[in-house]
Structures are given as C-alpha cells and as structure tokens.
Amino acid sequence: MVVRVVRIARGAARHCDAEVRLVGLLALVVLALGLFGFTIRAVVSHRLEATDDLLARQGRALATAQELRAALSQADAAAAAEVFAPVELLVDRGAPSAQQRRRYDGIKSDVSFEMSVAASARSVLDLRRLDPALCPDDTDARLVPGAVDPGADLGRATDGGGPPVTAGHDQSGGLEPPWSDTSGPQVPGPGTAAAPAGAAGATPGAVVADGARAAGSGDGPAAAPAGESCPLDLLAQEIPVYNGMVERARANDRVELSVGEAYLRAASTMMRAEILPATEVLVARYADAVDRAYRHATGARGEWAVVVTAAVALGALVGAQVLLVRRTNRLVNPGLLIATAAVLAAVTWTAVAFGTQQSRLDAGRDAGYRPMTLLARSKTLALEARVDENLSLAALGNGLRFDEHFAWVARGLGFDSSGERLPPEPVTRRGSLVVALDAPAGGGTPTDLEADLRAWLRIRQSVVRLLASSPDSVVAAAHGPGDAGIRGDPRSSDAFGEAVTRTLGPGTTAFTRFLGTLDVAVDTARGRFDTDVHQAGAALRGLRLAGPALVLAAIIAAVAGIWPRLREYL
Amino acid sequence: MTSGTGAGDRRRSARAWALGAGALTLTLILVLAACGTARSPLPIEAGPLPASPAPAEPDGPHGPGAVGGPAGPGSGAVGATRADGTCRQDGRPVRASEPPLAPLPPPGHMPAGSRLRSIAQDRGYLRIGIVTDAPPAGLMNWRTLRLEGFDVGIARAVAAAIFGSTDVDSHIQFRAVTTTDREDLLRSNMVDMLVATMTITCERKRQVRFSSVYYEATLRLLVRAGSGIDSLTALAGRPVCTAAGGTADEKLERVRPPETPRVVTLPRIADCLVALQYGDVDAIVGDDVLLAGLAAQDPYTTVLGPGAFGAALAAHGGLDEPYGIAMPITGDAASDDAFVSFVNGVLRQIMVDGTWSRLYDEWLRPGLRAQGHPPLADLDRDST
C-alpha cells in the first residue's frame, strides 16, 4: 500500500514543479514531526497525571480507608474489652503498689476507645476531602429533616424533630436499630456484608426492623433499601450513634447496671453488621481506583501511539534525505541529520523513562502496595479476633460462636488457634499475614510479627485450656467435650478469674505488641509505595518538557536543512 | 512493510529496507523497555474474608433450632394442654412432678448406682445452665467475677445437697444460657440441669423433665412511666418486646386482633430494655422477676399491675409462669425420675428450712416489694 501511495505521490509530483515538490516534502516532514511531538507530550502527560494521581489521591485514599477500617475495628475491640473494665486493675490484686501503678499507667496509655473513634471520624473527613466525587454534594437530597437524624431511624420516639423521611428517600443510610441486622447497609460492592446481612434473615430482630418502621407516625411504606446512599454518609451517621451506644453502655456499667452489656452487644452488632462492611466497600473502591490508575499510568496504547508516530517521523526524515540525495547529489544534509538525531534522542529518552517508570511502579506494587494491603487486612482480622476473644470470655460459656469465628479469622491470617502456620492449601486463599511474610519483595516486613502473633495466640490457647479443664468455670462446657474424665485433680475455685487475668494481663501485652509491630510494618510498606510511585513520576517529569523540546528542535533543524534547497528555486 | 517489488529499482528497495529496519528497531526498544500495561489488583488475601460459618455478631442468629424449632414452644402449642389445664401427654397438671425424695441422702453419700453418684464421685461437679444477664435471677458480677442471683442461689443449694456446703462453687460448672438455647442444651446433654427462669409448660415437658415449682412468677408489662400506656389495650398495634424462646410471645398471640400489639422478639430480655430506652418498643412483656430487675435499672420505667392484661388473658391462671428446674430426658426413665425426685427433695428442704426465704429476701424482695411465700403447695400435692 505504501508503495502505491508513493507511486501516486510520485505521479502527482511529476506534474508539479520542483519547488512545489520540495515544499510538499517539507510540509510532510514537519507534519510527521509535529504529530510525534504532540503524541509524546499527550502520552507522557497522561501517564504522569495518572502516576501523580496514584500518589496523591488513590493511594492515599486507599491508605486512609484502611486506616478508617482499622480505627473502627480497634474501637470495636476496645468496646468489647469494656466488659472487663471493672477488673482490669484487679489483675494485679496482690502485687506491690509500684507494680499496680505501672499497670494503671499502662492501661491509661492504651489506645482508647475515644482515640479510635476520633481517628475514624478524621478519616471520614479526609476521605471526603480526597474524593469529593464519592458522595455527591446534593445537600437537598441528604438533609431532609430527620434523614440524618439517627433518632428518626434508631429510636423513633426519641427525637422531637419532624416526621421521618417520606417514602421517596432512602432513609439516608437506613439506620436500623443496631440489633437488627436484617437490612444492613446494603451498600453494593465486591465482598460486602453479604454474609451477616444475608444470614440474619431468620433472626428475631427482623421483626424490629419492620416494626419500628411501621410504628413511626406518617412513615409511609417501607423505604427503598439504602443502596443509593454512599458509604461515607452512612459512616458519618452511624459512627456517632455507635459512639453514643458505647457511652451508654459505659455509663450503665459504671453503676453496675447489667443493661450495659446489652448495649455493648448492640453496639458490636451494629459495628460488625453495618459499619465495618461500609468501610470494606470503601477499601474495595479505592483498591479498584489504584488498579485503574496503574493501568492508566502504564497503558500499552500510549506506548503504541508513540512507537507509530515515531516510526512515521523517522520514515519521513529518512525519505526526505533519500529524495534529496537523489535530487541534489549532496550526500549529507546536516539539518535533516540533526533532526533525525534529535528524534532518535527523544525516542531513546522516552524508552528509558517509560522503562524506569514501569519498573518503579512494579516495585511499588510488590514491595509497597501488596504488603500494605495484606498487612492492613491482617490488622483488621487480628482486631476482629481480639473482639471474639473478649466476647467469648464475656459470654460465660455461651460463646461457642465467637470461638468458631475466632478460629475462622485466625485462619484468615493463616494461623490455627494455637499459633502454628496452617499448611498451604492450593485452592483456597492463603492467610493474609502468611502471604505478606512470605513475599520475596516484602523483605521489609519485620519477622518478629509472626512471633508476636504466636505469643498472643498461645496465651489465648492457654486460657481456653484453663477454662476447659476447670469444672467450676462458666466457660468450660463450651470448650470441653463435657464430662470427659476431669476427676480428682486440684481445682482452683477461681479459674474464671485467672482466665480473665491472663487475658487482660499478658494477653493484652502480647496483642498490643503485635499491633504495634503491625502498624510499623504497614507504615513502612506505605512509605515504600509512596517513594516508588514518586520516583516513577519523577522519571517522566523531565520527559514531559524535553520530549516536545527535542521534537521542536528537530522541526527547526529539518526546516533549516531543506530551506537552502528550496531557496535555489526562488 | 514495503518490500522491494521492483527488482530493477535498487535504490527504492534499499530505502524501503532502511525504513523497515528503523521502525523495527524502534518498536523493539519500546516494547523491551515497557512490556505492556501493569496491573495492580488487590491481592485476594487482602480482600474480605468469605462468609464465616459462625456469625460474627453477638446477637446474630443462633445455631440450628434456636428460635422455635419444629418442636419449639410455638408450634407445639396446639393440643399440648387440655382445656382443664392438664397436659395431654401424661394427663397430669402442668405443675405436677415427681414426689420429693425424703429423707435426702446426706451430702457426699449419694446412693450407689444412681446418676447422682456418678456426678458426685466420678465427675466431681455438677453442670448447671444459668442466665447471667437477667438480674435478679442470675447475673455475672464483673467486679467480683462471681455469679449471683436467686436462680444461682437455688443452683448452689442443689449442688450443696450433693457435694456438701463447703466450697460449693468448685463443684459447679456454670454455663451461661439464653432463653432460646435452653432446650437445645438439655437435649444435647450439655448440662445436668437448668436453673434459668424457665417456665413449666406442657410443650416443654415433651422435651425436658421439670422439677416442681421453685418460684411462682407471673407475666407483667413494663412501660415508660407517664407514657399513658396503662394496659395491653393501649398497646394495640404498638411494638411490644419480649425475649425469644419465652412464653410471653405465645400468650400475647391469644389477644384478639383489634387489640393485638406487635410482638418483637429479641435474644435477651436485657436487649428489650435497650430497645425501650431507644424508643423502638413501647413495652416489655416478661416475668415479674425479670421486669423488676429491668425496672431497677431504669428509674423512668414502671411495671404495670396484673390488671393491665385484661380479664380474658388473666383468667384460669393465664399469666402464671411457674418456674421449674429443667433436667434432660436421658431415655432411662427410672434414672430421670430418681434425679427429679432428688431435686424436688432439695427444693422442699430449702423451702422448709428457710433458705428459700433468705434467697427471696436477698434477691427478689427489693424489686417485687412484696412478701414471698415458698410454693410448697405443689410439692405437698405431689408427695401425697
């Protein structure tokens, strides 16, 4: 085809004057070079933008969403431990005062519930700032009286405000009573709360959900599921309600009213059934965004555009030289030669810059992004397990479900309940922590992570054993086979107290150390990701100016090269 | 690529070759430098865990058969009780049990070959299911890490009759239960007995053995004081909360349609107080003991008198909630009879010797504000 085009062009040229032919040639060369310059500029800009976006927005948003999830999990764990608040200082009952003071100071310095809730609120704000597009700013739709008023949904009678939202609105986040997990947040997204929301169909709480709704005066038919509401709105509404519920629990606990425990259970249900799934939606969303930014930053289409236009530009230059050689018998045209060199330099620079960018991005993914997400998941799982541990102990033998869930979560980390690594199974997913530890690129992951986790799991295992082997314990039946020969052995009459003591004392210490190490590891991984992505962007930054500049130089050189030949005809 | 078709025109062919080679080199450079689009999906292991076999929520659905199974109280309601108040199963009154054993064997000397003997000597402890979040019946005191309450006192008394009164707690394995899983625990033989605010009904008698009555509770309504709700009639169409697996649910179903309240069941009675405090329900239906325990925790609430239910419901002892100690049906009827008989003997003994009254005065009287009388009549009827 090229041959035919050349033939036609030549046929046309034969009818033209020589100067017209030269002008045409010059225009062709300039056009090809211009196209190349334009493409290089566009592609590099696009990639640089995507890389910067990855660094400044998507990566940060993902990290923030993960922090949000971790903060809320931590709040859940702190709230679950609230049951033991009356005894946390009695752990060292017989110890000397100095030791008791140390323990008291330690408890005070623990990451508190308030700090976790405050951190989560801050993360919600940060996300709102980082991603304004996530929740459209149509305040008209959201700020219907009662729509954002938890009282309207949670306790119909408690708010003195107007009637609940009309049917057209979606209850703005659908705050159900916390103990009814029937309609959950229903935020669409990969891997959301399908489990809790779906499994709850048969719970008695279902009645409440419908009940409370129909009870509200002028409440119209049950509103549409809260699918349209954005997770940030949901979180912004539910976190304060959750916080209030835990505070009610604490106030009741402090005056020895057992309804406090019911409040804690309700709060934990709300956290696990509604709030945490909403954060999972956010994490999944920003993980997708990172993936998209990666693809934009390294898109093959841009590469091909550069290759094709570069080929055309070089072809035009070489063709012009060949033609000039045939027409003028001068072997070398310095202008065109310089132009060719400039184009080749631009191509080489592009190739090197793209290569550097891609390898930095790959490194950022393998040594930063993957460990960061895996470790963040591990942290959430560990906190979930900690909640199970506390709830199981507080359930006084009725906590088999929590123990099963604990084992399930520990499995998600890649460990069994006694702290040993599970054998890798080829089909199912592996443990998040195990994958993070085993990753060849994750050399920065501290190795004592595993030891810390093991220490904590071992302490818990010993507590479980203690309870299972002590007849007076309130928890034993849940763990032991029942009346299997525990006979005549010395029985402490305070095995349960010992179990609580062990969980609160060394158990808390080990778990806190594990979390601390994990936090450091997450921060390290995130730092690597940021550094690598930053370097990837830096590799392109020079090219964005230099590429077009080189091409411009090539155009000037080419014009300067052909101009004297053209002048011969003028 | 252009190929030298014109064999005569060497220069053209050379030019085409140069062009092709240049483009090829260029392509190679770029393709080698950057091989395709990089992806960065979230690692599978960093995604959420798949659905757990065990629900994570504290009050999520329980195990199989948690809320009224096929043999649950609701479905068995029809036909289990005759019109005259006797159970269809054995033709005896609801409260009837085995005659109390008298005299009781001295603690530590259980009759050979009996189940008591194997519990006392072979195992060394008694497994008792208890409610731990329903004061004043049963409560975990987190300050002392000890269980306390009326039911707990009864349970300790039974254990003391088997093991002797010193260090009773080291011979009891308490297990917390909720109203929904009580029958299941007995059926699966996880506990030897339940002292867990369990009302004796004919339906339940099909699945478990009951001792004689150790406390005569009655159904009551707890409402917010000053809310204007003074009877069940005022609650027509309003949400009324009760604990899942209890008897109140079924009794409310007997209320005729225009006055029917909307019954909301939650896993525990304490959850009902949370719902009431959030305004999600307008009343709590439950046993007077438990409602007194709730009212003690919320000064804004009040327990309505028996008249609040109306005559129809209250007729023929319709509000009675006789509490009994539940024991498993093991299949060995003689052994079960002996066990129940022993427990009845213990109950009779503590009612006679003042232990019962002491427990009542300690736990129930402050809330109920009335003198308590041990339900000895049923026991004596059984023994005749």
Side-chain angles (χ1 to χ4, degrees), chain A residues 7-18 20-21:
Chain A
R7 236 178 240 157
I8 291 169
R10 188 174 290 163
R14 210 165 279 148
H15 300 289
C16 296
D17 292 335
V20 177
R21 272 183 254 164

Side-chain angles (χ1 to χ4, degrees), chain A residues 118-171:
Chain A
S120 69
R122 206 178 45 231
S123 298
V124 169
L125 280 180
D126 285 350
L127 278 181
R128 180 89 72 194
R129 227 172 283 146
L130 278 167
D131 186 7
L134 174 59
C135 293
D137 204 15
D138 51 348
T139 41
D140 288 347
R142 287 196 288 124
L143 292 182
V144 175
V148 289
D149 179 3
D153 297 297
L154 191 66
R156 301 273 167 166
T158 56
D159 90 288
V165 235
T166 44
H169 289 286
D170 63 335
Q171 300 286 324

